[in-house]
Amino acid sequence: MARINEHYKKLSAGYLFPEIGRRMAAFQKDNPGVKVHRLGIGNTTEPLTPAVVEGLKEAVEKLSKPETYTGYGDEQGEEELRLALARFYGSRSVKLDADEIFISDGAKADAANIQSIFGRDNRVAFQDPAYPVYVDSNVIAGRSGSFDGGSGTYAGFLYMTCVAENGFIPEPPQEKADLIYICSPNNPTGAVATREELQKFVDYARENKAVIIFDAAYSEYITDSSLPRSIYEVDGAEECAVEINSFSKFAGFTGVRLGWSVVPKALVVEDSEPGEVHKLWFRRQTTFFNGASNIAQQGGLAALTDAGLAESAGLIDYYMENAAVIREGLHQLGLTVYGGVNAPYLWLKAPGGLSSWDFFDKLLNETQVVGTPGSGFGPSGEGYFRLSAFGHREDIEAAVQSIVNNLKL
Ligand code: PGU
């Protein structure tokens, strides 16, 4: 008799973004013809840049000829791309070996899968609020007890509260944690950890033989050059941190699908030698994954050329100008808003003490703007609301205008 993985039953509800889609569809059904402004999911909207398009086309061309056709590539990714990424890190004074870089089809899969190389009895700590994939993947793996609807937490997990008082960047846990997820620039709060703040986590991890899983998917949105874009800019991080990153928000690859993870050879845990964790991830990827699309990888390579990098910087500037437009509008209304400076997300305090979902409904009904309820990212997100700066400028301006004109405060 087959049985299901019962840990799925513990998951608190459906995945956040499909639930938002469901509510939006219901609104559209009741209000046919009314335009809805989508500032919910962080999905890129601007076309791929010329250098990337050229790279992708070249890859397709190669596949069209017998002399240059290639099938399966290395599971770890094309060496040329890994070397280019190592150079990219090198340009930021981070020294990595191309072998320490694993190409993937995006950060989401890596963020969900990385836990599988660690023992089930590891104690896991999360920023609260956090990108839901970290928590859910650990629930599915059986690292939690049941979900408590009252507190919005899973038994057995450590929640590192991120609130305005600590600038949405927590201190390392007081208790012992084994796996620690950190996302900076942060989704959803838009906060960025300083070097000193990350150093505290690295020191904690080295002391406790813990592993930091650092999601840097928005690293390129950092405009303040004093802020670290990679955890490896922090002393000792190569001994205790895995870094996950992506071409999605960096170069508009949300639909193309390409990301990477860094698992340094120096990384050690309680029961491993240096190199062993790196080997486990290699084993995991070669067993479960057949490599990212060769077309996408050629696109990634083009994104890392000087022309590609300059063009991507232009895309990022565009989205960050959107963020400024949103901030400005919200400030005009006297709302309390965080983020949106070194990150493409704005984190808004729901006015009038409204809950996140009540504000979601109010914003949708009064202004036809869709955002993401903060409570969907964890209990400390309750009473907050995320707005995404991804969108065409005219849509962003129309959304902000609608909020300014129609939101009843
Ligand atoms: N990591 C973080 C922190 C993210 O916010 C996202 C996307 C990803 C990874 C995914 O990167 P890929 O390389 O494209 O896989 N977050 C978006 C999209 C929602 C989702 O479910 O991924 C968001 O709106 O939060």
Short mmCIF file of all heavy atoms in Angstrom, two decimals, residues 189-233:
data_model
loop_
_atom_site.label_atom_id
_atom_site.label_comp_id
_atom_site.label_asym_id
_atom_site.label_seq_id
_atom_site.Cartn_x
_atom_site.Cartn_y
_atom_site.Cartn_z
N THR A 189 11.03 42.17 3.23
CA THR A 189 11.07 43.49 3.90
C THR A 189 11.90 44.53 3.15
O THR A 189 11.82 45.72 3.47
CB THR A 189 11.65 43.36 5.32
OG1 THR A 189 13.03 42.96 5.21
CG2 THR A 189 10.89 42.33 6.16
N GLY A 190 12.74 44.08 2.22
CA GLY A 190 13.59 45.04 1.50
C GLY A 190 14.80 45.47 2.30
O GLY A 190 15.60 46.29 1.84
N ALA A 191 14.99 44.91 3.51
CA ALA A 191 16.14 45.29 4.34
C ALA A 191 17.40 44.60 3.83
O ALA A 191 17.33 43.50 3.29
CB ALA A 191 15.89 44.89 5.79
N VAL A 192 18.54 45.26 4.02
CA VAL A 192 19.82 44.66 3.62
C VAL A 192 20.72 44.58 4.85
O VAL A 192 20.88 45.56 5.58
CB VAL A 192 20.52 45.50 2.52
CG1 VAL A 192 21.79 44.80 2.06
CG2 VAL A 192 19.59 45.72 1.34
N ALA A 193 21.31 43.41 5.06
CA ALA A 193 22.21 43.23 6.20
C ALA A 193 23.55 43.90 5.91
O ALA A 193 24.07 43.80 4.80
CB ALA A 193 22.43 41.74 6.46
N THR A 194 24.09 44.57 6.93
CA THR A 194 25.42 45.16 6.78
C THR A 194 26.46 44.06 6.97
O THR A 194 26.16 42.97 7.43
CB THR A 194 25.67 46.24 7.86
OG1 THR A 194 25.61 45.59 9.15
CG2 THR A 194 24.66 47.36 7.80
N ARG A 195 27.70 44.42 6.65
CA ARG A 195 28.82 43.49 6.84
C ARG A 195 28.90 43.06 8.31
O ARG A 195 29.08 41.88 8.61
CB ARG A 195 30.10 44.23 6.45
CG ARG A 195 31.12 43.42 5.74
CD ARG A 195 32.22 44.37 5.26
NE ARG A 195 31.78 45.13 4.10
CZ ARG A 195 31.93 44.72 2.83
NH1 ARG A 195 32.52 43.58 2.59
NH2 ARG A 195 31.50 45.45 1.82
N GLU A 196 28.74 44.03 9.22
CA GLU A 196 28.85 43.73 10.65
C GLU A 196 27.75 42.78 11.08
O GLU A 196 27.98 41.86 11.86
CB GLU A 196 28.75 45.02 11.49
CG GLU A 196 29.92 45.99 11.30
CD GLU A 196 29.93 46.68 9.91
OE1 GLU A 196 28.85 46.88 9.31
OE2 GLU A 196 31.05 46.98 9.40
N GLU A 197 26.55 43.00 10.56
CA GLU A 197 25.42 42.12 10.93
C GLU A 197 25.67 40.70 10.42
O GLU A 197 25.44 39.72 11.14
CB GLU A 197 24.11 42.69 10.39
CG GLU A 197 23.64 43.88 11.21
CD GLU A 197 22.59 44.76 10.51
OE1 GLU A 197 22.49 44.73 9.27
OE2 GLU A 197 21.90 45.49 11.23
N LEU A 198 26.17 40.59 9.19
CA LEU A 198 26.45 39.25 8.66
C LEU A 198 27.61 38.61 9.39
O LEU A 198 27.63 37.39 9.60
CB LEU A 198 26.74 39.32 7.15
CG LEU A 198 25.54 39.61 6.25
CD1 LEU A 198 25.96 39.54 4.79
CD2 LEU A 198 24.40 38.61 6.50
N GLN A 199 28.58 39.45 9.79
CA GLN A 199 29.74 38.88 10.51
C GLN A 199 29.27 38.18 11.80
O GLN A 199 29.79 37.12 12.15
CB GLN A 199 30.73 40.01 10.85
CG GLN A 199 32.04 39.52 11.44
CD GLN A 199 32.92 38.80 10.41
OE1 GLN A 199 33.32 39.36 9.40
NE2 GLN A 199 33.22 37.52 10.66
N LYS A 200 28.27 38.76 12.47
CA LYS A 200 27.77 38.14 13.70
C LYS A 200 27.21 36.74 13.40
O LYS A 200 27.41 35.81 14.17
CB LYS A 200 26.64 38.99 14.31
CG LYS A 200 27.12 40.24 14.97
CD LYS A 200 25.97 40.86 15.74
CE LYS A 200 26.21 42.32 16.00
NZ LYS A 200 25.04 43.00 16.54
N PHE A 201 26.51 36.62 12.28
CA PHE A 201 25.96 35.30 11.91
C PHE A 201 27.07 34.33 11.54
O PHE A 201 27.02 33.15 11.91
CB PHE A 201 24.95 35.44 10.75
CG PHE A 201 23.59 35.80 11.23
CD1 PHE A 201 23.18 37.12 11.29
CD2 PHE A 201 22.69 34.82 11.65
CE1 PHE A 201 21.92 37.46 11.76
CE2 PHE A 201 21.44 35.14 12.12
CZ PHE A 201 21.04 36.47 12.17
N VAL A 202 28.07 34.83 10.83
CA VAL A 202 29.18 33.96 10.44
C VAL A 202 29.93 33.50 11.70
O VAL A 202 30.25 32.30 11.84
CB VAL A 202 30.11 34.68 9.44
CG1 VAL A 202 31.43 33.94 9.26
CG2 VAL A 202 29.40 34.84 8.09
N ASP A 203 30.15 34.41 12.63
CA ASP A 203 30.85 34.04 13.88
C ASP A 203 30.02 32.99 14.63
O ASP A 203 30.55 32.00 15.13
CB ASP A 203 31.07 35.27 14.77
CG ASP A 203 32.08 36.23 14.13
OD1 ASP A 203 32.77 35.83 13.17
OD2 ASP A 203 32.15 37.39 14.59
N TYR A 204 28.72 33.22 14.69
CA TYR A 204 27.83 32.29 15.38
C TYR A 204 27.90 30.91 14.71
O TYR A 204 28.02 29.88 15.37
CB TYR A 204 26.38 32.81 15.32
CG TYR A 204 25.35 31.84 15.84
CD1 TYR A 204 24.92 31.89 17.16
CD2 TYR A 204 24.83 30.84 15.02
CE1 TYR A 204 24.00 30.98 17.64
CE2 TYR A 204 23.91 29.92 15.49
CZ TYR A 204 23.49 30.00 16.80
OH TYR A 204 22.58 29.09 17.28
N ALA A 205 27.84 30.91 13.38
CA ALA A 205 27.82 29.65 12.64
C ALA A 205 29.13 28.89 12.83
O ALA A 205 29.15 27.67 13.03
CB ALA A 205 27.57 29.90 11.15
N ARG A 206 30.24 29.61 12.84
CA ARG A 206 31.54 28.93 13.00
C ARG A 206 31.66 28.37 14.42
O ARG A 206 32.15 27.27 14.61
CB ARG A 206 32.68 29.88 12.69
CG ARG A 206 32.75 30.16 11.19
CD ARG A 206 33.73 31.24 10.87
NE ARG A 206 35.10 30.77 10.90
CZ ARG A 206 36.15 31.58 10.92
NH1 ARG A 206 35.98 32.89 10.93
NH2 ARG A 206 37.37 31.09 10.94
N GLU A 207 31.15 29.12 15.39
CA GLU A 207 31.20 28.65 16.78
C GLU A 207 30.35 27.40 16.98
O GLU A 207 30.71 26.50 17.71
CB GLU A 207 30.64 29.74 17.68
CG GLU A 207 31.66 30.35 18.60
CD GLU A 207 31.10 31.63 19.19
OE1 GLU A 207 30.09 31.56 19.94
OE2 GLU A 207 31.63 32.69 18.82
N ASN A 208 29.21 27.38 16.32
CA ASN A 208 28.24 26.29 16.54
C ASN A 208 28.27 25.22 15.45
O ASN A 208 27.41 24.37 15.43
CB ASN A 208 26.82 26.87 16.63
CG ASN A 208 26.64 27.71 17.87
OD1 ASN A 208 26.50 27.19 18.96
ND2 ASN A 208 26.70 29.03 17.70
N LYS A 209 29.22 25.33 14.53
CA LYS A 209 29.27 24.42 13.38
C LYS A 209 27.91 24.37 12.68
O LYS A 209 27.39 23.31 12.34
CB LYS A 209 29.70 23.01 13.81
CG LYS A 209 31.19 22.89 14.13
CD LYS A 209 31.94 22.45 12.90
CE LYS A 209 33.42 22.55 12.89
NZ LYS A 209 34.24 22.36 14.00
N ALA A 210 27.34 25.54 12.55
CA ALA A 210 26.05 25.67 11.86
C ALA A 210 26.30 26.09 10.41
O ALA A 210 27.42 26.50 10.07
CB ALA A 210 25.20 26.72 12.57
N VAL A 211 25.28 25.97 9.58
CA VAL A 211 25.41 26.39 8.18
C VAL A 211 24.42 27.53 7.91
O VAL A 211 23.25 27.44 8.28
CB VAL A 211 25.13 25.21 7.22
CG1 VAL A 211 25.09 25.69 5.77
CG2 VAL A 211 26.19 24.13 7.37
N ILE A 212 24.93 28.56 7.27
CA ILE A 212 24.06 29.66 6.83
C ILE A 212 23.69 29.39 5.38
O ILE A 212 24.57 29.12 4.56
CB ILE A 212 24.80 31.01 6.93
CG1 ILE A 212 25.15 31.32 8.38
CG2 ILE A 212 23.97 32.14 6.31
CD1 ILE A 212 26.13 32.48 8.52
N ILE A 213 22.41 29.45 5.09
CA ILE A 213 21.99 29.35 3.69
C ILE A 213 21.58 30.76 3.29
O ILE A 213 20.59 31.30 3.80
CB ILE A 213 20.85 28.32 3.55
CG1 ILE A 213 21.41 26.95 3.94
CG2 ILE A 213 20.30 28.32 2.12
CD1 ILE A 213 20.39 25.92 4.27
N PHE A 214 22.43 31.35 2.47
CA PHE A 214 22.31 32.79 2.18
C PHE A 214 21.71 32.97 0.80
O PHE A 214 22.31 32.59 -0.21
CB PHE A 214 23.71 33.43 2.26
CG PHE A 214 23.69 34.93 2.17
CD1 PHE A 214 23.29 35.69 3.24
CD2 PHE A 214 24.08 35.58 1.00
CE1 PHE A 214 23.27 37.09 3.16
CE2 PHE A 214 24.07 36.96 0.91
CZ PHE A 214 23.66 37.72 2.00
N ASP A 215 20.53 33.52 0.75
CA ASP A 215 19.84 33.75 -0.53
C ASP A 215 20.13 35.18 -0.97
O ASP A 215 19.68 36.15 -0.34
CB ASP A 215 18.34 33.51 -0.33
CG ASP A 215 17.58 33.52 -1.66
OD1 ASP A 215 18.07 34.12 -2.63
OD2 ASP A 215 16.48 32.93 -1.70
N ALA A 216 20.89 35.29 -2.07
CA ALA A 216 21.32 36.60 -2.56
C ALA A 216 20.62 36.94 -3.87
O ALA A 216 21.18 37.67 -4.71
CB ALA A 216 22.84 36.60 -2.73
N ALA A 217 19.40 36.42 -4.06
CA ALA A 217 18.71 36.58 -5.35
C ALA A 217 18.56 38.05 -5.78
O ALA A 217 18.40 38.33 -6.96
CB ALA A 217 17.34 35.90 -5.29
N TYR A 218 18.62 38.97 -4.79
CA TYR A 218 18.44 40.40 -5.13
C TYR A 218 19.74 41.18 -4.95
O TYR A 218 19.72 42.41 -4.84
CB TYR A 218 17.32 41.01 -4.27
CG TYR A 218 16.01 40.28 -4.48
CD1 TYR A 218 15.59 39.30 -3.60
CD2 TYR A 218 15.22 40.55 -5.60
CE1 TYR A 218 14.42 38.59 -3.82
CE2 TYR A 218 14.05 39.85 -5.83
CZ TYR A 218 13.65 38.87 -4.94
OH TYR A 218 12.50 38.18 -5.16
N SER A 219 20.88 40.49 -4.94
CA SER A 219 22.15 41.16 -4.64
C SER A 219 22.42 42.36 -5.56
O SER A 219 22.98 43.36 -5.14
CB SER A 219 23.32 40.17 -4.74
OG SER A 219 23.36 39.58 -6.02
N GLU A 220 22.00 42.23 -6.83
CA GLU A 220 22.34 43.30 -7.78
C GLU A 220 21.50 44.56 -7.58
O GLU A 220 21.73 45.58 -8.23
CB GLU A 220 22.21 42.79 -9.22
CG GLU A 220 23.15 41.61 -9.52
CD GLU A 220 24.55 41.79 -8.93
OE1 GLU A 220 25.25 42.70 -9.36
OE2 GLU A 220 24.92 41.01 -8.02
N TYR A 221 20.52 44.49 -6.67
CA TYR A 221 19.69 45.67 -6.39
C TYR A 221 20.30 46.57 -5.32
O TYR A 221 19.75 47.61 -4.99
CB TYR A 221 18.26 45.24 -6.01
CG TYR A 221 17.53 44.72 -7.23
CD1 TYR A 221 17.81 43.46 -7.75
CD2 TYR A 221 16.61 45.52 -7.91
CE1 TYR A 221 17.20 42.99 -8.90
CE2 TYR A 221 15.98 45.05 -9.06
CZ TYR A 221 16.28 43.81 -9.55
OH TYR A 221 15.67 43.36 -10.69
N ILE A 222 21.43 46.14 -4.79
CA ILE A 222 22.10 46.96 -3.78
C ILE A 222 22.76 48.15 -4.47
O ILE A 222 23.58 47.98 -5.36
CB ILE A 222 23.13 46.13 -2.99
CG1 ILE A 222 22.40 45.05 -2.17
CG2 ILE A 222 24.00 47.02 -2.11
CD1 ILE A 222 23.31 44.14 -1.38
N THR A 223 22.35 49.35 -4.07
CA THR A 223 22.93 50.55 -4.67
C THR A 223 24.01 51.14 -3.75
O THR A 223 24.91 51.83 -4.20
CB THR A 223 21.85 51.60 -4.95
OG1 THR A 223 20.99 51.66 -3.80
CG2 THR A 223 21.01 51.24 -6.15
N ASP A 224 23.90 50.86 -2.45
CA ASP A 224 24.87 51.37 -1.47
C ASP A 224 26.09 50.44 -1.47
O ASP A 224 26.02 49.29 -1.03
CB ASP A 224 24.18 51.38 -0.10
CG ASP A 224 25.10 51.82 1.01
OD1 ASP A 224 26.32 51.87 0.80
OD2 ASP A 224 24.58 52.12 2.11
N SER A 225 27.22 50.98 -1.96
CA SER A 225 28.39 50.11 -2.17
C SER A 225 29.03 49.64 -0.87
O SER A 225 29.89 48.75 -0.89
CB SER A 225 29.41 50.83 -3.05
OG SER A 225 29.80 52.00 -2.38
N SER A 226 28.61 50.19 0.26
CA SER A 226 29.19 49.71 1.53
C SER A 226 28.50 48.42 1.99
O SER A 226 28.95 47.77 2.93
CB SER A 226 29.06 50.79 2.61
OG SER A 226 27.70 50.91 3.00
N LEU A 227 27.40 48.05 1.34
CA LEU A 227 26.67 46.84 1.77
C LEU A 227 27.17 45.61 1.01
O LEU A 227 27.42 45.68 -0.20
CB LEU A 227 25.17 47.04 1.52
CG LEU A 227 24.50 48.13 2.35
CD1 LEU A 227 23.10 48.45 1.82
CD2 LEU A 227 24.44 47.72 3.82
N PRO A 228 27.30 44.48 1.70
CA PRO A 228 27.83 43.28 1.03
C PRO A 228 26.80 42.66 0.09
O PRO A 228 25.64 42.52 0.42
CB PRO A 228 28.13 42.33 2.19
CG PRO A 228 27.24 42.79 3.30
CD PRO A 228 27.03 44.26 3.12
N ARG A 229 27.28 42.27 -1.11
CA ARG A 229 26.39 41.63 -2.07
C ARG A 229 26.55 40.12 -2.05
O ARG A 229 25.77 39.40 -2.68
CB ARG A 229 26.66 42.19 -3.47
CG ARG A 229 26.10 43.60 -3.57
CD ARG A 229 26.18 44.14 -4.96
NE ARG A 229 27.48 44.75 -5.18
CZ ARG A 229 27.77 45.51 -6.23
NH1 ARG A 229 26.85 45.73 -7.14
NH2 ARG A 229 28.95 46.03 -6.38
N SER A 230 27.58 39.66 -1.37
CA SER A 230 27.78 38.22 -1.23
C SER A 230 28.18 37.97 0.21
O SER A 230 28.91 38.79 0.81
CB SER A 230 28.89 37.76 -2.17
OG SER A 230 29.35 36.48 -1.79
N ILE A 231 27.74 36.85 0.76
CA ILE A 231 28.15 36.55 2.15
C ILE A 231 29.65 36.28 2.22
O ILE A 231 30.28 36.46 3.26
CB ILE A 231 27.35 35.38 2.76
CG1 ILE A 231 27.67 35.24 4.25
CG2 ILE A 231 27.61 34.06 2.04
CD1 ILE A 231 26.51 35.03 5.13
N TYR A 232 30.26 35.91 1.08
CA TYR A 232 31.69 35.63 1.09
C TYR A 232 32.54 36.89 1.19
O TYR A 232 33.76 36.82 1.24
CB TYR A 232 32.07 34.77 -0.12
CG TYR A 232 31.26 33.50 -0.17
CD1 TYR A 232 30.38 33.26 -1.23
CD2 TYR A 232 31.31 32.57 0.87
CE1 TYR A 232 29.59 32.11 -1.25
CE2 TYR A 232 30.53 31.43 0.86
CZ TYR A 232 29.67 31.21 -0.21
OH TYR A 232 28.89 30.08 -0.23
N GLU A 233 31.89 38.05 1.20
CA GLU A 233 32.61 39.29 1.49
C GLU A 233 32.91 39.40 2.99
O GLU A 233 33.61 40.30 3.43
CB GLU A 233 31.80 40.51 1.03
CG GLU A 233 31.69 40.59 -0.49
CD GLU A 233 30.84 41.76 -0.95
OE1 GLU A 233 30.98 42.87 -0.40
OE2 GLU A 233 30.02 41.56 -1.87
#
